[in-house]
Amino acid sequence: MDWVNLLLLLLLCAGHAEVLAAAVNRLHARPFGERRLKQFRRVYTIVLLAFPVALLWFVGLRGPALLRGGEWRDVPVGWTLYLAACAVGATSLLIAGLSRALRKVPQWQVSNHSRTIDISQRLGSPPVGSGPYRLLAQIPFNEVFQVEVSEKHYRLPRLPRELDGLSILHLSDLHFRGTPGLPYFEQVIELASELRCDMIAFAGDLLDNPKLIQWLPNTLGRLSAPLGCYFILGNHDWYLDPAAIRAAVRDLGWQDVAGKTVEIEHRGQWLVIGGTELPWMGKHPDFSTAPADAFRILVSHTPDNIAYARSQNVDLMLSGHNHGGQVQLPLIGPVFAPSRFGVRYAGGVFEHEPTLLYVSRGISGRRPLRWNCLPELTKLVLHAG
């Protein structure tokens, strides 16, 4: 057995997984329907699992027989070309892990205080519910019922001094499907209420099961804020009946900002809040009619709209969609994020002048699996620059 070549082949298998994940991430960033995306994932799973077996058999044990002392120069051209792509994928994994380890504290960040709340302990038992993936929610080391509650302070250059201390509750990705059960979300909403924010923004993906629209009064319906509650929908809402979902949230007193802007006067200053559900629904909001000196906030389900936000001189962009990857591997970090930027904006804060982008890891997901990537409930406190 040639152990060096075995190690190299295993690294190439990791690179193969990275190449496929990069392709799947970008496909999921496009407005494909749920059925088409299922087909993509099915093909992805087959190719992901079949490649290592084929590589070890046709290259490691047969043909050039690298595991038996064969030479790399004898590898057929077709295999060589794809293995070169796998080598690029493996290198990309290593670079991403190194970049994540060396990432500095954001320049605009003032402070960051977080605590982890175990909802299972608060309730006395795991709120598994009756969803289709309830067994997945109960596997060992799954952190799906542990919520990170954070208060993060940022100093933004264009925030007027009169608005210093403005606080925003950033909610995203509830994904009502049955697992977690309703008690989980009721506890999350109770925690959210305790944060006492000036305004609340929900960044989409409310439902995966249309019947659970009945959960809204006991969840979003219990939230209020002095400057209002604002929402957009996400791609999972688009898969269902977005008009019905939108109407139900409006009935709770929330303001729909999808494709438009809302102006608020507070302490003698103007705030403008806009929303976008592109690339799935509607259009971008037009900030050109807002007062020139207004502080601008964009709620966008996907962080892929960051270029638009910058073009509109948006000060703060709030997104979700990527769930932090849901599983973050040691050293490597997240692998999956449905974004045309891959995992670059999986979760966290990003400074792209003049815009501060905050990407929430969300409260839940279609599949109840979390590891090293807790669900997130975040209070953002803004300070004048």
Side-chain angles (χ1 to χ4, degrees):
M1 174 67 73
D2 189 325
W3 295 103
V4 173
N5 280 343
L6 177 61
L7 177 60
L8 290 175
L9 291 178
L10 292 177
L11 287 174
L12 290 172
C13 287
H16 160 75
E18 168 64 9
V19 169
L20 287 184
V24 168
N25 287 339
R26 286 154 180 82
L27 284 171
H28 279 70
R30 305 302 302 162
F32 291 115
E34 187 176 19
R35 180 177 299 178
R36 181 65 59 85
L37 291 176
K38 284 183 178 179
Q39 294 171 346
F40 290 149
R41 289 193 293 268
R42 189 176 296 117
V43 172
Y44 161 81
T45 301
I46 293 171
V47 176
L48 176 69
L49 299 177
F51 175 81
V53 176
L55 179 65
L56 293 175
W57 180 256
F58 292 108
V59 177
L61 299 175
R62 302 294 183 185
L66 297 180
L67 298 181
R68 296 179 175 179
E71 298 292 336
W72 283 91
R73 63 173 175 265
D74 296 328
V75 176
V77 174
W79 277 104
T80 299
L81 292 176
Y82 187 67
L83 291 179
C86 293
V88 172
T91 303
S92 174
L93 276 177
L94 295 174
I95 293 174
L98 182 61
S99 298
R100 183 171 295 275
L102 297 178
R103 187 178 177 189
K104 298 179 180 179
V105 175
Q107 179 181 352
W108 293 347
Q109 181 170 298
V110 177
S111 64
N112 177 8
H113 303 286
S114 300
R115 55 195 172 103
T116 300
I117 305 297
D118 190 328
I119 303 299
S120 296
Q121 288 186 359
R122 284 172 67 104
L123 292 172
S125 63
V128 174
S130 57
Y133 294 105
R134 54 187 177 275
L135 294 180
L136 182 61
Q138 300 176 73
I139 65 173
F141 307 110
N142 193 349
E143 299 171 330
V144 70
F145 301 127
Q146 298 184 44
V147 179
E148 182 178 88
V149 181
S150 301
E151 181 173 313
K152 302 173 185 283
H153 291 244
Y154 296 99
R155 193 175 303 281
L156 299 185
R158 285 190 353 106
L159 184 73
R161 292 192 177 277
E162 292 84 351
L163 298 181
D164 190 273
L166 178 73
S167 59
I168 302 172
L169 174 65
H170 182 20
L171 273 174
S172 188
D173 297 275
L174 293 179
H175 287 278
F176 293 164
R177 198 175 191 192
T179 296
L182 178 58
Y184 167 81
F185 295 103
E186 290 175 332
Q187 290 295 312
V188 169
I189 294 303
E190 183 176 327
L191 291 170
S193 298
E194 294 171 358
L195 293 176
R196 300 184 181 280
C197 296
D198 296 319
M199 70 171 60
I200 302 174
F202 177 70
D205 273 2
L206 179 56
L207 295 179
D208 279 312
N209 181 343
K211 296 180 180 179
L212 299 184
I213 200 168
Q214 62 185 337
W215 287 8
L216 286 178
N218 286 335
T219 52
L220 294 186
R222 292 167 50 198
L223 290 175
S224 62
L227 299 183
C229 301
Y230 306 88
F231 80 97
I232 60 168
L233 301 182
N235 58 306
H236 284 248
D237 305 307
W238 175 62
Y239 298 152
L240 303 175
D241 185 351
I245 299 171
R246 201 180 304 277
V249 181
R250 285 173 177 166
D251 288 345
L252 300 174
W254 287 63
Q255 295 191 54
D256 180 7
V257 292
K260 61 185 178 183
T261 59
V262 174
E263 298 177 6
I264 307 170
E265 187 176 8
H266 181 54
R267 299 177 186 170
Q269 301 295 323
W270 285 103
L271 293 165
V272 179
I273 304 170
T276 178
E277 297 167 345
L278 286 173
W280 302 281
M281 295 178 283
K283 61 182 181 179
H284 286 314
D286 181 7
F287 283 91
S288 64
T289 59
D293 58 348
F295 185 81
R296 301 181 177 194
I297 301 171
L298 176 67
V299 187
S300 170
H301 182 57
T302 174
D304 288 2
N305 292 317
I306 180 61
Y308 173 77
R310 298 181 71 190
S311 74
Q312 297 294 300
N313 291 318
V314 167
D315 298 285
L316 176 65
M317 176 172 164
L318 303 175
S319 297
H321 185 54
N322 291 337
H323 300 191
Q326 288 201 203
V327 172
Q328 295 195 10
L329 302 177
L331 302 179
I332 294 174
V335 175
F336 293 105
S339 166
R340 61 188 179 91
F341 296 104
V343 297
R344 180 180 181 184
Y345 298 120
V349 62
F350 305 89
E351 296 170 341
H352 296 301
E353 292 188 12
T355 306
L356 180 75
L357 166 64
Y358 193 88
V359 184
S360 171
R361 297 190 301 271
I363 298 299
S364 187
R366 186 177 182 86
R367 290 174 177 80
L369 177 64
R370 295 270 182 165
W371 187 65
N372 201 25
C373 182
L374 300 182
E376 175 182 359
L377 184 64
T378 304
K379 176 181 182 178
L380 302 173
V381 183
L382 310 181
H383 298 279

